[in-house]
Amino acid sequence: MFLWRSLYRNMLNNKDAHLKINPIGPVERNHVLSPQQLFIRDRTEKQILFSMDEDTYEELVASWAFLCLREKYSEVYRIGGAGDHGVDVLARSSTSDAFDIYQCKHYSSALGISVVIPEICKILYFIYLNEIPMPQKYFFVAPKGLNASMLTTVSNPDSIRNEVLDNWDIYSDKISKKLNTKLTEDLKAFINEFEFRKFEVVSPDSFLEKLRENKNLYHQYFGVRRENIRRIETPTPNDVQSGEATYITHLVNAYNSASDEIKVTVDNISSTSYHKHFSRARECYWLAESLRKMSEENSPGDKDEFEEFITDMEYHVSDTYESDFENGFERNKAVIGDSRSFTPKSERIISGEISSGEKIGACYHLSNDNRLIWVKE
């Protein structure tokens, strides 16, 4: 059994009813800014970080480890509640069975010795008892970091050891109220042999720098600054791409339902009267595809703003779409015409980017998903 699994087993056997062990995944985050909060810009990143409640901050750190450190970790678990033994977030290495521990401390000031050393004593004690396997690294994460004195201590492993041994009797009462936490000779020998370089700190600046790399996560907790949003232009390819096959099939079928000409195909369409319409349809599809990529990169959390947009469009054109028409091309033209009057929600990141081309393109994306089919059976 992997060491990290042993950790969970030992913690669960702690019989503490408040202990929770939650795997972190793309949809495990619960704290989301409301649409009205997304574009508020009157606070800096650090002010937002400082103002978070403890639960939101711990959730953010766990999601940060899962999403922003993917190359480092294969699995991330959030461990919360009484009896967590000083482990808030546990992250399993992607290359071995080793794991790192993150201890989150959302305090109103930088962490000092009186906060950090008791936590170190606690984790040392439970590793000594074999209730927690030996971690690869143990990181302190705090919105205001460590104070100068504590930073000096953490940077010197011998200083940490001396602080722990010299003041164990003072700090040991904070480890457990039920267990005998006195500094025995055996425990002292364990501490003397322990590798204190395992203890490190993640500074607020490095935390934020890495967080900015994942815009979905960043926007969920920090809101949107439009100047940081970029839209990747997606020119219309000369040749039809495999991903366009479905909506183009529906469109060609619509042409043929109205045409007295030769049978229209993608190969001969340039010689038919539908050539300009077909070209515009593809241009609009790729305009909307650019919008989809923008949404994918920037939507807060696990939201999909583009999917919300085209679903809204589907509702908007549904009455027109479901009406009777002489042929599929007439249905297509009526729906496309109706789409231009659609007013998108203003609270979305992508809303300012939606013009007539994107609205038309949304219909072709719906068609590509078989949600708008011009020639009905």
Side-chain angles (χ1 to χ4, degrees), residues 49-62 79 81 84-89 101-123 138-147 150 174-175 200-204 207:
L49 203 62
F50 299 159
S51 66
M52 287 180 180
D53 61 75
E54 293 181 8
D55 186 60
T56 302
Y57 181 68
E58 190 175 297
E59 178 185 271
L60 171 60
V61 171
I79 302 173
D84 63 10
H85 297 348
V87 181
D88 288 327
V89 175
I101 290 171
Y102 288 84
Q103 177 65 22
C104 308
K105 290 294 181 185
H106 195 283
Y107 283 35
S108 59
S109 59
L111 305 184
I113 286 177
S114 63
V115 174
V116 174
I117 297 301
E119 290 298 330
I120 291 177
C121 290
K122 182 189 294 184
I123 199 73
Y138 184 102
F139 295 98
F140 286 97
V141 194
K144 295 195 175 182
L146 274 58
N147 65 26
M150 193 64 243
K174 299 182 180 180
I175 296 174
E200 295 185 11
V201 59
V202 178
S203 72
F207 178 82

Side-chain angles (χ1 to χ4, degrees), residues 170 274 316:
I170 298 173
Y274 301 104
H316 178 80

Side-chain angles (χ1 to χ4, degrees), residues 128 168 180-189:
Y128 166 73
W168 183 271
N180 179 6
T181 58
K182 292 188 179 301
L183 186 62
T184 63
E185 287 301 315
D186 192 42
L187 176 56
K188 185 176 180 180

Side-chain angles (χ1 to χ4, degrees), residues 8 78 128-129 177 239 288 301 360:
Y8 306 151
R78 181 181 175 192
Y128 166 73
L129 293 181
K177 295 180 180 179
D239 297 325
I360 295 170

Side-chain angles (χ1 to χ4, degrees), residues 3-11 90 99 131-133:
L3 288 179
W4 60 275
R5 292 194 188 278
S6 298
L7 174 61
Y8 306 151
R9 180 196 62 205
N10 288 331
M11 284 191 166
L90 184 142
F99 61 89
E131 291 200 24
I132 296 178

